[in-house]
Amino acid sequence: MSTAAPERPTTIPEPTVTNHAGHPRRWLLLAVLALSQLMVVLDSTIVNIALPDAQTALGMSDGDRTWVVTVYALAFGSLLLLGGRIADYWGRKRSFLVGMVGFAIASGIGGVAESTTQLLIARGLQGAFAALLAPAALAILTLTFPSGTDRIKAFAVFGAIGGGGAAVGLVLGGVLTEYVNWNWCLLVNIPIALVAILAGIPLIRESRAHGNTRYDLPGAILVVAGLASVVFGFSQAESGWGRWETIVPLAVGVVLMTVFVLVEKRATNPLLPLRVITNRIRAGAFLVSALNGTALIGALLFLTFYFQIVLGYTPLQAGVASLPMTATIMVCAPFFSSILPKMGVRLPMTVGPIVASSGLFWLSFITVQGNFVFEVLPGVILLGIGLAAVFVPLQNVALARIDEHDAGVASAAVTATQQIGGSVGAALFTALYASAVSGYLGSHAVSSTAQLEAFVSGYSVVFVWAAGLMLLAAPVSFFLIRPNKADLLAVPAAAHLG
């Protein structure tokens, strides 16, 4: 009589990684990597604050103003996977430093721009170099903290900055725009990059993939074109989902990404090995990342509109009003990093989206009168708690036990899901907002009060939808993200230094 073998718990495959755990100054290195993460994250919101002044100074049209945001997202989102693979093959340290130098130069070009064309070129270059810098930084972090509780703490810091950096950008952008000028919202990247470069040169150890390092050119062309089409399509959806300018790029993007998957299945050395994304745990983490990226756009972008348009806050006041969420994330991150070794990731990544969703739902009850303490503060605090519970373990889970050969491209995939999610969120929420405002104005007499009430009605609809999307991350985490604690703490096999 045979006995069936007990079902083994789902685990992430064993990796082959470079063991950097002995780095004597790894915590100082973490500070450098965190600084680079902060620069990339805050740059999306700091420029948004500066746009009205930049539009006036450069004589931009409303369409050009939109492109200042779109061209950055287009370059960043479409080049991420290629940037991650370049970091793997060319060297993560080299890619990090070149990405940082390029980002600083592009920021300088944008900061002294005297025409719309110059600013748009600078923003595109920023996105391209960010696509090299971001996955390189995350891959270096993954290899420097390959296992144990130190890894959890390091990813907690990195995740907290990813969650709160956008709000920091709002504050910094408000300060610079009000007290200096809009140009410094770009020029401020230069001293940040200079510090990171000078500190990174002696601190970062070079590492690169070994074995087959031939580039998958068909895959690279397909994924860049496909992701660019998807990001562009969603950016155009803000003006309407039924327009050919929206439908055609999205359809082309879907076709190209489908062909990309088919090519990667047959490639001998694929740009994105499907094992990176088809593992159940990682797939769940990527999906949660995309949902969080989508919902967070609704929280920050439209909450900022509410502060400035309805409540009449200055850019600086709007940024300060967003700080409680960032402060909550920073306070909660150490707590969640301390309990993960004992509790695991499944519970916080399931409860976190529920708490964050309740915060977004609370914000849907805002009014034209706008009592910040009662209508806004509880919502952003709940949102901060929920985001901390998700962001602290998220990247750790997505990159746990990743093979050294794939560290860069896997890191790029994490960032890409957030970037694509943000593009989807911006388009979806703008369309929902516009529909709600039109519906309200169509059923009420036109007046200044009715217009503000229409705006608030639109913001409320956005917050409800954002809450729903955030809530979807809870069942995804519960059913898909079920790693053993060993997946987060086990010491992986050592490989050779790059």
Side-chain angles (χ1 to χ4, degrees):
M1 179 177 176
S2 63
T3 304
E7 182 180 352
R8 296 180 62 188
T10 302
T11 61
I12 301 176
E14 280 286 347
T16 301
V17 302
T18 301
N19 193 344
H20 292 218
H23 196 304
R25 293 181 290 174
R26 60 186 181 277
W27 295 109
L28 186 57
L29 174 56
L30 172 62
V32 174
L33 299 175
L35 191 63
S36 70
Q37 168 79 341
L38 179 63
M39 186 179 72
V40 172
V41 170
L42 67 80
D43 202 70
S44 60
T45 51
I46 195 174
V47 172
N48 290 351
I49 290 290
L51 273 180
D53 283 20
Q55 182 177 14
T56 301
L58 300 180
M60 283 190 286
S61 65
D62 289 344
D64 288 337
R65 183 185 65 184
T66 301
W67 268 102
V68 173
V69 177
T70 302
V71 73
Y72 177 83
L74 200 60
F76 190 23
S78 63
L79 293 172
L80 265 167
L81 290 179
L82 179 58
R85 203 39 125 186
I86 290 173
D88 283 333
Y89 293 171
W90 196 43
R92 285 106 188 190
K93 177 179 181 177
R94 185 182 299 175
S95 298
F96 176 88
L97 294 176
V98 170
M100 190 65 78
V101 170
F103 197 92
I105 292 173
S107 298
I109 294 172
V112 300
E114 296 182 353
S115 69
T116 300
T117 300
Q118 289 178 359
L119 182 58
L120 291 177
I121 290 173
R123 289 291 285 166
L125 288 173
Q126 277 188 313
F129 283 109
L132 182 63
L133 169 63
L138 191 51
I140 292 168
L141 179 71
T142 302
L143 298 176
T144 304
F145 296 90
S147 62
T149 56
D150 281 355
R151 176 187 174 93
I152 293 175
K153 293 175 183 177
F155 273 91
V157 172
F158 210 75
I161 290 175
V168 174
L170 295 175
V171 178
L172 186 57
V175 171
L176 294 174
T177 302
E178 284 194 34
Y179 297 109
V180 190
N181 56 50
W182 71 268
N183 308 77
W184 274 97
C185 289
L186 289 163
L187 294 175
V188 71
N189 290 321
I190 297 176
I192 296 176
L194 185 61
V195 171
I197 291 167
L198 293 177
I201 289 173
L203 285 173
I204 301 173
R205 295 176 176 177
E206 185 59 283
S207 64
R208 58 176 59 87
H210 298 276
N212 190 344
T213 56
R214 186 178 58 188
Y215 285 98
D216 171 22
L217 292 181
I221 294 170
L222 285 168
V223 77
V224 169
L227 288 175
S229 296
V230 170
V231 173
F232 180 76
F234 279 117
S235 71
Q236 295 302 300
E238 297 181 17
S239 301
W241 291 92
R243 300 165 63 244
W244 69 267
E245 293 93 338
T246 303
I247 296 173
V248 172
L250 287 176
V252 170
V254 170
V255 171
L256 289 175
M257 292 306 294
T258 302
V259 176
F260 169 71
V261 172
L262 296 176
V263 168
E264 296 305 276
K265 288 176 66 175
R266 293 167 173 78
T268 56
N269 191 38
L271 177 71
L272 177 63
L274 296 185
R275 61 180 176 272
V276 172
I277 58 175
T278 55
N279 174 272
R280 191 185 73 177
I281 297 171
R282 288 201 192 101
F286 290 150
L287 185 53
V288 170
S289 175
L291 289 170
N292 275 269
T294 303
L296 194 55
I297 286 293
L300 288 180
L301 181 62
F302 288 89
L303 187 60
T304 302
F305 289 164
Y306 172 67
F307 288 150
Q308 293 184 274
I309 296 174
V310 177
L311 301 186
Y313 288 3
T314 65
L316 176 57
Q317 289 173 328
V320 172
S322 303
L323 277 181
M325 184 190 77
T326 303
T328 303
I329 292 174
M330 296 301 179
V331 169
C332 292
F335 167 75
F336 286 114
S337 67
S338 68
I339 65 173
L340 287 182
K342 301 175 183 177
M343 181 179 295
V345 301
R346 187 185 183 197
L347 181 60
M349 289 192 68
T350 300
V351 175
I354 297 173
V355 176
S357 177
S358 66
L360 288 167
F361 188 69
W362 183 287
L363 292 174
S364 70
F365 293 99
I366 54 174
T367 63
V368 173
Q369 292 73 30
N371 187 309
F372 179 83
V373 174
F374 294 104
E375 295 179 15
V376 177
L377 188 58
V380 295
I381 289 176
L382 287 171
L383 181 60
I385 294 171
L387 289 176
V390 175
F391 281 135
V392 166
L394 179 60
Q395 291 170 328
N396 196 341
V397 172
L399 298 175
R401 293 182 180 270
I402 196 69
D403 193 284
E404 184 210 8
H405 191 85
D406 301 327
V409 74
S411 300
V414 177
T415 307
T417 56
Q418 296 168 342
Q419 184 68 24
I420 299 301
S423 299
V424 173
L428 174 63
F429 294 141
T430 298
L432 292 168
Y433 165 79
S435 177
V437 170
S438 298
Y440 189 94
L441 292 176
S443 59
H444 292 78
V446 177
S447 67
S448 58
T449 301
Q451 189 172 39
L452 289 178
E453 290 175 345
F455 292 159
V456 170
S457 174
Y459 303 146
S460 296
V461 168
V462 167
F463 291 137
V464 170
W465 274 83
L469 288 172
M470 184 70 78
L471 192 60
L472 286 177
V476 172
S477 296
F478 184 81
F479 290 109
L480 295 183
I481 302 178
R482 305 175 66 177
N484 290 332
K485 293 177 184 178
D487 290 327
L488 305 180
L489 297 174
V491 178
H496 31 327
L497 291 171

